[in-house]
Amino acid sequence: MTMSHTLKKRVLVITMHDDPGVDTRAALLTQISDLVHGHKPTSVVIILAQPSPTQAALSVVLCAHHLCSRLDLVLSVATRSAPVRRLLAAGADTGGIRLVIHARADTAIATATALTTAA
């Protein structure tokens, strides 16, 4: 599993380059949690760079959404796949902060940055 991250104006941007697979899903969630707690961002964006994210990738995003919601952080996700966007919307936790879903990474980052600047 290849993942990278950057901090842009207090927005933590995490890019999942490959599918995590079932075996590395827990380790990836730990890395994301460590990044969120370590950087203390105002919001988080996860970019699913792979063309067809699998159920393991969706699970990571939904668990990260739950983590961010508990910490009062907005989580945005960007994926080019319309079916994946629909699955994320259907599976998102509705008890906390809404999961924001975008088709394009640049839009997700720009929106998160604008929210951070406005806050």
Side-chain angles (χ1 to χ4, degrees), residues 27-75:
L28 181 58
L29 283 168
T30 299
Q31 286 179 313
I32 291 171
S33 178
D34 290 348
L35 288 169
V36 169
H37 286 98
H39 288 289
K40 298 188 184 344
T42 54
S43 62
V44 178
V45 174
I46 295 179
I47 300 167
L48 299 175
Q50 62 272 40
S52 300
T54 65
Q55 189 61 39
L58 298 180
S59 175
V60 168
V61 170
L62 294 174
C63 288
H65 175 237
H66 184 70
L67 166 73
C68 289
S69 187
R70 282 194 334 256
L71 297 172
D72 290 325
L73 297 173
V74 173
L75 173 67

Side-chain angles (χ1 to χ4, degrees), residues 11 45-47 76-78 100 102 104-113:
V11 174
V45 174
I46 295 179
I47 300 167
S76 301
V77 63
V100 182
H102 294 276
R104 295 175 31 159
D106 59 340
T107 304
I109 294 167
T111 302
T113 302

Side-chain angles (χ1 to χ4, degrees), residues 69-94:
S69 187
R70 282 194 334 256
L71 297 172
D72 290 325
L73 297 173
V74 173
L75 173 67
S76 301
V77 63
T79 177
R80 294 176 298 219
S81 171
V84 169
R85 290 193 303 272
R86 286 190 294 274
L87 287 170
L88 286 169
D93 180 8
T94 58

Side-chain angles (χ1 to χ4, degrees), residues 15-28:
T15 303
M16 293 172 49
H17 300 283
D18 310 310
D19 188 74
V22 175
D23 296 337
T24 58
R25 182 175 44 192
L28 181 58

